[in-house]
Amino acid sequence: MKEQSTIGARLGAMALALASCSALADVYTWTGAQDNNLSNPANWAEESVPTNGTAFIDSREPLDLVVGDAFGADTITIPSTSEVVRITSGALHLGALTNACRLAIAKGASLEVDGDIVANANSYRGTMTFLYSNEGTVVVHGNAVGTSTTSASVFEYADVSEANNPMQVGGIRYIGAGHTTYFHLDTNRGYHNDGPDDWVIGENGIGYTSGAVRYYAECYGHVKLYSSADWTLQNSMNTGLDSELYVATHASMTFNTSDYNDPTIPRTITLKGRLRSGTDYNDSTAGFFIEGCGTVVIDTEDMSALSMDEDKKHTYFDNSQLTVRSGATLQINEGKKILGATGRIALEAGATLALPYANGGDIDTASRIEPAIRLPSSGKAIVRLEGDALKVGVPYKLFGQVPSGYASHLKVECDKSKFLSVGLYAEEDGLYMILVQWPEKWNDGKIPGAGMLGKYGAWGCRYDAFDSDSESAFLMNINPNTRAGVSGKDLAVTDIAHDGDFVTITTSQDLSKANGVVYVMYGVSLEKMVMPVECEFDAKNGNEIVNLDGSMGSGFFKVCVGYELPAVPRGM
């Protein structure tokens, strides 16, 4: 229990502070005369437990309080000059909360605010935090609002502690003038201090009520933005700002796109505002990160009419990196860009880069991405093209550079890829893709085994079997078929018959369904195959390849079927 003299000496200061409170609201003054229970009337100067109005608490010593079962003030006022007031147990439920920089929520305790929680940075040396610390649970149904009229800084918590839990808010807003204020999404750590800086953002997202500010992750700060709903980053449309979210040297900011309360639910974070980073991509812990099972959408507000440098109108990475982790999706909408020729977008295995487009719209996806694409060293990243405008056989420029390892570590999907295969090939000015249509006659229109796609390139280049760019072919028997009775997955040799000077090969598929040519390779062993020879099949029995040179003997055979397809560039 705090001594009466400790509180009494400060009644004069209390009176001055209370003068600023609304005359229409009831004000209750904490004395702590008996114990540390907010629900004990003996602890209040009015000898009544607050059930509305304002509870005023000021202490020269750190104060641990319990909520009890009767306390119901609309708000609590704790001067910034007070020692820390910590709620150690119970559920503190308030209508609103302003300048609670000395209020701490301990483990096991909770704070719920129906309206906004406000930090006014003008009131305490140009710096203000929303709370002192939060090791319990804090839920704000309104917004976390930072206010300032001068150059100042707003932080989440004052205490730098690994035990701090994220503040769950409906959104984050700034009210102020100019654009010189720093709204820190990290704690008031000071320079070069590590620690977690987590928020849970609701449907109100991050934006502005008035004025403009750059939301900031300070040097060595590691901010993580969880999601309890789909939300949007607003654009300030202020020419004095180069971004709405900024990450400083050695700092990071992570968008977690899984629902905070149920990680199996994907959330969508739409970035109308801009990202910018001052980190170095060689620092693997720094930069922007996307994780979870949902999507971050680059949909930057149109700033083309504003007088400012082009790079400041878009998300921009200069020598820094945006990393998309496995399961997460980065979507760049049509007409939107990520700039920064010296930056990188790193796609981990299982990560997706989505590039939607409208019919008749911009299919040159390379114009959206200036940074280099970095692919995983194992596994595959996914590029997903969303729309109906792609045409079969037409080359499309996917990236303005050729990502290392694209042949093995990049998979391209599109709405039509269920019926098409997607080919990738490199040119001097970037990486191109082309859609290849499979004949509907073959195998009921189904695409043959996936292994075939990898086999074709090596086979076609080695033997140069196809004499025209208008002709392409694919191995139909992925596993070499040798003698009678051996079956393959797509095309099998079921019988080999010798008749004097001729050999007849019977296959498991009707070759008359092919609209191209048939080739046979022969060799004394699987390792020693000769050049493929074009052959013919019996018009009456499409399963038989006839009139092969009998000198081939009874060795090993491989059969492949060629299809006439739209032009496919060499090296695909």
Side-chain angles (χ1 to χ4, degrees):
M1 183 180 71
K2 297 289 178 284
E3 294 182 2
Q4 181 70 31
S5 58
T6 301
I7 303 301
R10 309 201 67 186
L11 290 178
M14 292 180 192
L16 291 175
L18 292 176
S20 64
C21 296
S22 172
L24 299 178
D26 293 326
V27 178
Y28 300 82
T29 303
W30 174 264
T31 64
Q34 190 169 93
D35 56 28
N36 66 342
N37 192 334
L38 291 173
S39 295
N40 183 351
N43 290 323
W44 297 95
E46 294 75 19
E47 298 184 350
S48 176
V49 177
T51 56
N52 57 23
T54 300
F56 184 86
I57 303 174
D58 190 2
S59 178
R60 288 186 177 181
E61 298 176 1
L63 190 60
D64 288 348
L65 301 178
V66 299
V67 177
D69 57 2
F71 181 81
D74 295 326
T75 190
I76 291 179
T77 295
I78 304 173
S80 57
T81 53
S82 172
E83 290 297 323
V84 174
V85 176
R86 188 169 67 147
I87 305 299
T88 59
S89 69
L92 182 61
H93 192 166
L94 303 172
L97 190 58
T98 299
N99 286 354
C101 66
R102 308 305 287 169
L103 178 62
I105 306 300
K107 184 178 181 180
S110 66
L111 167 66
E112 183 177 4
V113 181
D114 293 333
D116 295 339
I117 182 170
V118 179
N120 185 347
N122 294 310
S123 63
Y124 184 54
R125 299 177 184 175
T127 298
M128 184 58 69
T129 63
F130 288 101
L131 294 172
Y132 181 79
S133 64
N134 170 33
E135 297 180 1
T137 301
V138 173
V139 177
V140 178
H141 297 289
N143 296 319
V145 180
T147 70
S148 176
T149 56
T150 62
S151 178
S153 293
V154 179
F155 294 87
E156 184 180 15
Y157 302 133
D159 182 43
V160 180
S161 169
E162 293 289 336
N164 272 329
N165 291 321
M167 187 185 300
Q168 303 177 48
V169 298
I172 299 177
R173 290 291 183 273
Y174 172 71
I175 300 175
H179 54 266
T180 57
T181 298
Y182 292 94
F183 195 128
H184 292 256
L185 295 174
D186 45 22
T187 57
N188 190 5
R189 66 186 65 257
Y191 194 70
H192 283 199
N193 289 321
D194 290 320
D197 308 294
D198 300 344
W199 293 78
V200 180
I201 309 298
E203 62 183 359
N204 297 343
I206 300 177
Y208 309 89
T209 300
S210 64
V213 69
R214 187 164 64 173
Y215 293 95
Y216 197 82
E218 194 179 19
C219 298
Y220 291 89
H222 299 290
V223 173
K224 181 171 288 190
L225 302 177
Y226 291 95
S227 305
S228 60
D230 297 344
W231 60 273
T232 297
L233 170 68
Q234 183 183 341
N235 194 309
S236 67
M237 300 300 287
N238 189 298
T239 58
L241 294 179
D242 59 11
S243 59
E244 279 67 48
L245 290 182
Y246 182 80
V247 173
T249 305
H250 302 299
S252 69
M253 190 176 295
T254 300
F255 299 98
N256 187 294
T257 60
S258 295
D259 187 87
Y260 182 72
N261 298 302
D262 183 353
T264 65
I265 298 176
R267 292 297 183 185
T268 299
I269 302 171
T270 302
L271 303 181
K272 294 288 187 181
R274 302 152 293 168
L275 310 183
R276 201 175 186 97
S277 175
T279 63
D280 187 333
Y281 58 65
N282 292 310
D283 184 348
S284 61
T285 65
F288 284 95
F289 296 84
I290 302 172
E291 64 182 21
C293 63
T295 303
V296 169
V297 180
I298 301 294
D299 194 34
T300 314
E301 202 79 46
D302 184 6
M303 305 181 76
S304 59
L306 300 182
S307 179
M308 56 195 305
D309 293 340
E310 185 66 20
D311 65 278
K312 294 181 180 179
K313 299 178 182 179
H314 305 276
T315 285
Y316 180 82
F317 299 115
D318 182 16
N319 291 318
S320 57
Q321 181 168 290
L322 166 63
T323 301
V324 187
R325 291 181 166 145
S326 179
T329 297
L330 168 64
Q331 176 175 312
I332 306 174
N333 280 353
E334 189 173 9
K336 310 305 178 182
K337 298 179 181 180
I338 296 180
L339 299 183
T342 59
R344 292 196 310 203
I345 297 176
L347 303 176
E348 294 187 353
T352 297
L353 174 61
L355 301 168
Y357 52 87
N359 285 333
D362 173 24
I363 306 177
D364 182 9
T365 57
S367 65
R368 308 185 198 183
I369 304 170
E370 193 174 58
I373 299 294
R374 182 181 181 184
L375 298 176
S377 57
S378 63
K380 290 188 177 184
I382 300 167
V383 171
R384 187 172 67 239
L385 303 175
E386 301 173 346
D388 296 324
L390 288 176
K391 297 179 180 179
V392 174
V394 177
Y396 296 108
K397 190 175 182 180
L398 192 61
F399 301 128
Q401 26 70 36
V402 179
S404 176
Y406 75 88
S408 300
H409 302 296
L410 179 62
K411 178 182 180 181
V412 178
E413 297 177 346
C414 66
D415 292 346
K416 297 182 179 180
S417 59
K418 181 178 180 181
F419 308 104
L420 307 169
S421 72
V422 181
L424 298 174
Y425 64 98
E427 296 286 1
E428 290 184 1
D429 63 338
L431 183 66
Y432 285 77
M433 59 159 283
I434 192 167
L435 297 181
V436 179
Q437 178 80 54
W438 292 97
E440 294 182 1
K441 290 182 178 180
W442 183 267
N443 201 23
D444 296 325
K446 296 177 183 178
I447 298 176
M452 178 194 56
L453 301 178
K455 294 285 186 180
Y456 161 67
W459 191 87
C461 292
R462 177 177 178 183
Y463 297 108
D464 196 23
F466 314 113
D467 55 10
S468 167
D469 281 347
S470 65
E471 181 184 56
S472 183
F474 298 89
L475 283 171
M476 302 305 293
N477 60 321
I478 305 310
N479 298 317
N481 301 288
T482 56
R483 298 181 183 277
V486 178
S487 298
K489 292 182 179 180
D490 297 294
L491 177 64
V493 176
T494 59
D495 186 57
I496 302 173
H498 295 265
D499 181 15
D501 295 334
F502 298 99
V503 174
T504 298
I505 296 177
T506 303
T507 65
S508 61
Q509 297 273 12
D510 184 354
L511 300 183
S512 64
K513 293 181 179 179
N515 62 357
V517 294
V518 177
Y519 295 93
V520 171
M521 286 188 290
Y522 165 79
V524 296
S525 69
L526 291 177
E527 291 76 25
K528 296 181 179 180
M529 289 289 182
V530 299
M531 293 287 286
V533 294
E534 185 173 344
C535 54
E536 59 184 270
F537 53 85
D538 190 334
K540 295 181 179 180
N541 185 356
N543 290 62
E544 290 187 355
I545 301 173
V546 298
N547 298 330
L548 290 175
D549 186 352
S551 64
M552 287 184 172
S554 57
F556 294 79
F557 293 88
K558 292 178 70 175
V559 178
C560 106
V561 178
Y563 288 110
E564 297 291 339
L565 297 174
V568 179
R570 290 286 183 181
M572 194 187 93

